């Protein structure tokens, strides 16, 4: 990837992060901000909007760091194991391990007395489901062997990027960070071959 393509990817991903974070922020906290819109408090609305845009930039940068880190890890994995099937099997194992962690360990650490594990399961399933959809489109965009690496990136790398919010474990922050991360990661994964023309060896396949 040349510098022009990198700048294009960087700026467009920043925009995705800012827009999605702003939408998610106002949606998640609508009960808190609804009165501002009703009363027409333009200055207050803009100040909140700029706050969400700033957060979106941060989440976008975290996403981009994770993306380029995984491109490097993926190439190392392919080089070390010298077998697409073996490397894919290792990634599938790590996906299952991370999903188990998201359910079991979060439940053990944060569940209150008599709280059901269902909400923890549903969140993990939602991340997996979104990852499967993105991986499917990535496979259609490139080839079948790209499915598992794309799924790994969407599940495992997103979860690693999400750790700051996971440690806080406040519902608003969990979703406010997760939604932009998923959006930015999906965007980068699917747009990179289009930006570079043919991927220049950087496709997750």
């Amino acid at each position: 990837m040349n510098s022009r393509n990198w700048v294009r990817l960087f700026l467009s991903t920043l925009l995705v992060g800012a827009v999605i974070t702003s939408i998610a922020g106002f949606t998640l906290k609508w009960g808190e901000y609804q009165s501002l819109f009703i009363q027409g408090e333009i200055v207050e609305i803009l100040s909140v909007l700029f706050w969400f845009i700033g957060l979106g930039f941060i989440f976008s940068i975290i996403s981009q760091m994770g993306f380029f880190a995984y491109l490097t890890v993926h190439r190392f994995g392919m080089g070390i194991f010298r077998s697409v099937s073996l490397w894919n099997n290792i990634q599938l194992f790590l996906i299952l391990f991370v999903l188990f962690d998201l359910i079991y360990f979060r439940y053990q650490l944060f569940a209150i007395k008599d709280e059901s594990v269902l909400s923890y399961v549903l969140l993990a399933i939602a991340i997996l489901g979104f990852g499967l959809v993105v991986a499917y489109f990535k496979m259609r965009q490139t080839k079948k062997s790209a499915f598992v690496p794309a799924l790994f990136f969407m599940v495992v790398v997103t979860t690693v990027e999400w750790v700051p919010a996971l440690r806080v474990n406040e519902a608003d922050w969990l979703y406010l960070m997760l939604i932009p991360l998923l959006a930015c990661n999906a965007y980068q994964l699917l747009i990179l071959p289009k930006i570079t023309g043919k991927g220049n060896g950087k496709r997750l396949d």
Side-chain angles (χ1 to χ4, degrees):
M1 179 187 291
N2 59 39
S3 59
R4 181 179 178 181
N5 288 334
W6 181 84
V7 170
R8 181 182 172 188
L9 178 63
F10 175 77
L11 294 178
S12 61
T13 308
L14 278 182
L15 179 61
V16 170
V19 171
I20 297 300
T21 303
S22 298
I23 294 172
F26 280 114
T27 301
L28 291 169
K29 295 178 174 289
W30 180 245
E32 181 179 342
Y33 299 128
Q34 183 179 12
S35 61
L36 297 180
F37 287 90
I38 294 175
Q39 298 170 10
E41 299 286 348
I42 303 299
V43 175
E44 292 295 330
I45 292 172
L46 288 177
S47 65
V48 175
L49 177 60
F50 289 144
W51 164 251
F52 285 137
I53 288 174
L55 282 179
F57 287 162
I58 294 172
F59 297 155
S60 172
I61 291 171
I62 292 172
S63 170
Q64 293 186 62
M65 290 172 61
F67 183 60
F68 283 100
Y70 180 63
L71 289 176
T72 302
V73 170
H74 180 67
R75 291 302 169 188
F76 272 120
M78 292 288 290
I80 292 173
F81 297 103
R82 299 184 181 278
S83 169
V84 173
S85 60
L86 177 58
W87 176 228
N88 281 350
N89 287 335
I90 292 172
Q91 291 180 96
L92 285 172
F93 170 78
L94 292 174
I95 290 169
L96 294 174
F97 180 77
V98 167
L99 290 172
F100 174 79
D101 281 356
L102 276 177
I103 298 170
Y104 179 77
F105 287 110
R106 284 192 64 235
Y107 181 75
Q108 291 296 317
L109 288 173
F110 300 114
I112 61 177
K113 185 178 181 180
D114 298 326
E115 181 181 5
S116 171
V117 73
L118 182 61
S119 62
Y120 298 86
V121 173
L122 291 177
L123 182 57
I125 290 175
I127 294 171
L128 175 61
F130 187 80
L132 287 169
V133 172
V134 174
Y136 171 77
F137 282 106
K138 181 64 179 182
M139 178 183 69
R140 292 288 301 272
Q141 186 184 54
T142 55
K143 57 186 180 181
K144 290 183 178 180
S145 60
F147 183 86
V148 173
L151 182 61
F152 179 91
F153 175 69
M154 291 304 302
V155 175
V156 176
V157 177
T158 298
T159 302
V160 173
E161 295 167 348
W162 193 30
V163 165
L166 288 172
R167 296 181 66 179
V168 175
N169 199 50
E170 292 182 2
D172 286 346
W173 278 106
L174 283 174
Y175 293 109
L176 184 60
M177 187 173 189
L178 175 62
I179 295 170
L181 286 177
L182 287 173
C184 289
N185 285 345
Y187 173 78
Q188 292 178 96
L189 195 62
L190 298 175
I191 203 66
L192 182 61
K194 297 179 181 178
I195 288 179
T196 59
K198 60 179 181 178
N200 294 325
K202 292 294 186 180
R203 296 178 302 177
L204 302 186
D205 57 5

